[in-house]
């Protein structure tokens, strides 16, 4: 498989492990809201209703793991080790997933979700740094695209399978004289524990830490992150700029998530069509991340990021004005295509710019920013929609427009592409 994809075999294994873990972890997106409304969960909510508690529990993962990522990424740089952080994170993910089956109060769920946020901070920046360490400048885009594709497949499959597992319960297993019975919720939590365990053993036995020198370099800035460009070529550091653009992109994507009931009423559709529209972005990412990533290895990264960010402007804005369900699906799909042209190339470009032994810190800027954007998007859309349905999407489009300017003016490629991006669209006789 690695030969066919043109990527390092260990990257494929790492991608498979992350896909497996993502299937179980994304179960919780569907299962936890249902579980919170179940009679098995009770206790004080300090005046919050179930919807508010659900929002807090689901958003905690992003709000806990995102600010911690630069610190875990930097610690992995200083030790020169990545694998141990991933394994520790998977242990926490599996432990928390199993512990949900023992939870009985709302605040058990809050604590367990926060624990999973810590686990995410251990896993996310170090796995991306591993991909970067295993790749080279000539194939980094393809490696990042492959890794992201597998991860997104797991993220997309999990919520669909979760509904089936929960609705098919309760379950009973006969073990001779012993009969074990458990609910559909417990089955989902056990399944999430199993996927984390499988991922743990894949990493343990099949992934090795590449030879990366440990570093004790103490960069100035926020947690080792440079904000201003010290080389004097621009105002903002290029990696920080890519992080800002990743945040803008994630906000634009996530605006859609909390508006389900409003969108369904506006488009006169049911939840099935909303689910398809929600999934359209992920589908486009799955289809395009690998070819786009590999193309950036040949045609350069910055051009794709600029084009993708430009496309984010109309594809985000139009969602605030369409009235046809399939036009909304199309807008979300093209928005996903634009996102595919931004995130994997941005990770690859940040990897190209990362100093030796600093990929954990460098790439955590982008993964942290994306996580914050995914958490911030639903909150801002819920607030802005009160001023008009189109307002959240206009806000997201405006952020993307700012992102275009930032990438164009503040980001440079460290190497010259083999061919210009414009040559993809030229058909001269010499081609």
């Amino acid at each position: 498989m690695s030969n066919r994809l043109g990527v390092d075999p260990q990257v494929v294994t790492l991608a498979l492990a992350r896909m497996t873990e993502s299937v179980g972890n994304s179960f919780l997106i569907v299962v936890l809201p249902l579980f919170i409304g179940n009679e098995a969960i009770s206790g004080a909510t300090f005046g919050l209703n179930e919807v508010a508690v659900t929002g807090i529990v689901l958003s905690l993962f992003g709000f806990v793991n995102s600010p911690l990522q630069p610190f875990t990424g930097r610690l992995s740089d200083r030790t020169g080790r990545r694998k141990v952080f991933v394994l520790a994170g998977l242990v926490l993910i599996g432990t928390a997933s199993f512990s949900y089956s023992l939870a009985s109060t709302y605040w058990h769920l809050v604590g367990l979700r926060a624990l999973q946020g810590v686990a995410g901070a251990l896993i996310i920046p170090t796995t991306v740094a591993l991909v970067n360490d295993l790749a080279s400048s000539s194939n980094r885009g393809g490696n990042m695209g492959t890794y992201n594709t597998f991860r997104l497949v797991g993220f997309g499959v999990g919520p669909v399978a979760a509904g089936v597992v929960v609705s098919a319960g309760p379950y009973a297993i006969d073990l001779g004289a012993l009969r074990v019975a458990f609910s559909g919720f417990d089955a989902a939590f056990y399944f999430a524990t199993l996927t984390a365990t499988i991922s743990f053993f894949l990493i343990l036995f099949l992934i090795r830490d590449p030879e990366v020198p440990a570093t004790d370099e103490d960069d100035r800035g926020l947690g080792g992150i440079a904000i201003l460009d010290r080389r004097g070529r621009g105002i903002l550091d290029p990696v920080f700029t890519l992080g800002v653009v990743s945040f803008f992109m994630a906000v634009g994507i996530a605006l859609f998530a909390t508006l389900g009931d409003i969108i369904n009423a506006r488009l006169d559709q049911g939840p099935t069509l909303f689910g398809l529209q929600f999934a359209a972005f992920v589908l486009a990412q799955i289809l395009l991340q690998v070819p786009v990533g590999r193309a950036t290895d040949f045609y350069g990264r910055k051009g794709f990021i600029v084009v993708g960010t430009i496309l984010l402007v109309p594809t985000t804005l139009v969602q605030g004005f369409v009235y046809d369900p399939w036009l909304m699906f199309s807008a979300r799909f093209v928005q996903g295509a634009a996102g595919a042209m931004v995130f994997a190339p941005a990770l690859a470009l940040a990897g190209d710019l990362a100093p030796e032994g600093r990929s954990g810190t460098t790439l955590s800027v982008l993964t942290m920013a994306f996580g914050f954007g995914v958490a911030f998007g639903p909150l801002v859309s819920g607030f802005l929609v009160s001023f008009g349905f189109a307002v959240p999407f206009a806000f997201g489009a405006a952020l993307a427009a700012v992102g275009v300017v930032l990438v164009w003016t503040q980001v440079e490629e460290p190497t010259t592409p083999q061919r210009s991006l414009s040559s993809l669209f030229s058909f001269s006789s010499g081609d």
Side-chain angles (χ1 to χ4, degrees):
M1 182 184 294
S2 62
N3 290 334
R4 294 179 64 183
L5 294 173
V7 300
D8 188 283
Q10 286 210 93
V11 171
V12 175
T13 303
L14 187 63
L16 286 169
R18 281 288 279 135
M19 180 182 73
T20 304
E21 177 268 325
S22 294
V23 171
N25 200 25
S26 64
F27 256 50
L28 303 178
I29 297 173
V30 171
V31 174
L32 285 179
L34 299 174
F35 191 54
I36 289 171
N38 187 267
E39 60 184 15
I41 299 297
S42 61
T45 60
F46 299 95
L48 299 175
N49 58 29
E50 286 184 0
V51 175
V53 173
T54 301
I56 291 171
V57 169
L58 290 180
S59 63
L60 261 178
F61 181 83
F63 282 123
V64 170
N65 85 67
S66 295
L68 293 177
Q69 287 185 39
F71 299 99
T72 54
R74 195 178 189 193
L75 186 58
S76 74
D77 288 336
R78 290 192 167 190
T79 59
R81 302 178 70 186
R82 319 284 190 203
K83 179 176 171 178
V84 65
F85 291 91
V86 182
L87 292 174
L90 289 169
V91 169
L92 292 181
I93 286 279
T95 301
S97 296
F98 179 81
S99 298
Y100 281 119
S101 65
L102 307 176
S104 58
T105 71
Y106 296 110
W107 299 105
H108 289 161
L109 304 184
V110 170
L112 292 173
R113 194 61 173 162
L115 181 63
Q116 288 191 310
V118 175
L122 291 168
I123 295 171
I124 295 169
T126 49
T127 51
V128 175
L130 260 175
V131 174
N132 188 70
D133 294 340
L134 292 166
S136 65
S137 59
S138 63
N139 64 11
R140 185 166 284 118
N143 278 272
M144 288 294 183
T146 299
Y147 169 80
N148 279 323
T149 297
F150 277 70
R151 181 181 60 83
L152 285 167
V153 168
F155 182 79
V157 168
V160 176
V164 175
V165 171
V166 172
S167 61
Y171 300 87
I173 299 176
D174 289 318
L175 301 174
L178 179 65
R179 182 178 176 84
V180 180
F182 48 93
S183 69
F185 291 114
D186 287 342
F189 298 140
Y190 297 156
F191 183 83
T193 306
L194 176 64
T195 58
T197 303
I198 293 172
S199 182
F200 177 90
F201 284 111
L202 285 172
I203 300 292
L204 179 65
F205 293 117
L206 299 178
I207 299 296
R208 58 171 175 77
D209 273 317
E211 296 295 328
V212 178
T215 178
D216 58 0
E217 183 181 356
D218 189 16
D219 279 352
R220 290 171 295 172
L222 182 62
I225 298 170
I227 298 175
L228 300 179
D229 190 353
R230 300 172 192 169
R231 301 167 303 171
R233 299 177 184 176
I235 298 173
L236 297 177
D237 180 82
V239 173
F240 180 78
T241 302
L242 292 171
V244 172
V245 172
S246 297
F247 172 79
F248 289 167
M249 179 187 68
V251 170
I253 297 164
L255 294 169
F256 193 83
T258 52
L259 303 178
D261 290 340
I262 299 173
I263 290 172
N264 289 341
R266 178 182 173 87
L267 304 185
D268 192 23
Q269 64 180 24
T272 300
L273 278 173
F274 178 81
L276 288 173
Q277 292 157 0
F278 186 86
F281 182 92
V282 177
L283 176 61
Q285 293 268 310
I286 290 170
L287 293 175
L288 295 174
Q289 287 257 0
V290 172
V292 167
R294 295 184 70 176
T296 67
D297 291 331
F298 192 69
Y299 293 98
R301 327 276 193 209
K302 179 178 175 178
F304 282 90
I305 300 170
V306 170
V307 172
T309 312
I310 290 172
L311 284 175
L312 283 173
V313 177
T315 56
T316 303
L317 181 63
V318 74
Q319 293 175 44
F321 296 93
V322 298
Y323 283 90
D324 181 81
W326 293 107
L327 285 178
M328 182 67 82
F329 176 89
S330 300
R332 289 282 296 175
F333 185 88
V334 181
Q335 187 188 40
M341 298 178 72
V342 175
F343 195 53
L347 283 171
L349 181 51
D352 294 337
L353 293 166
E356 185 178 12
R358 294 294 312 278
S359 59
T361 302
T362 303
L363 293 171
S364 71
V365 176
L366 276 67
T367 57
M368 173 186 65
F370 188 85
F372 269 132
V374 169
F376 181 70
L379 295 179
V380 73
S381 68
F383 171 73
L384 291 178
V385 75
S386 62
F387 299 98
F389 180 77
V391 174
F393 300 102
F395 175 76
L399 291 181
V402 174
V404 174
V405 176
L406 288 176
V407 176
W408 186 264
T409 61
Q410 303 299 310
V411 176
E412 293 182 6
E413 297 207 53
T415 58
T416 303
Q418 298 179 48
R419 296 185 69 182
S420 67
L421 184 59
S422 61
S423 64
L424 276 172
F425 309 101
S426 63
F427 299 95
S428 65
S429 58
D431 287 345

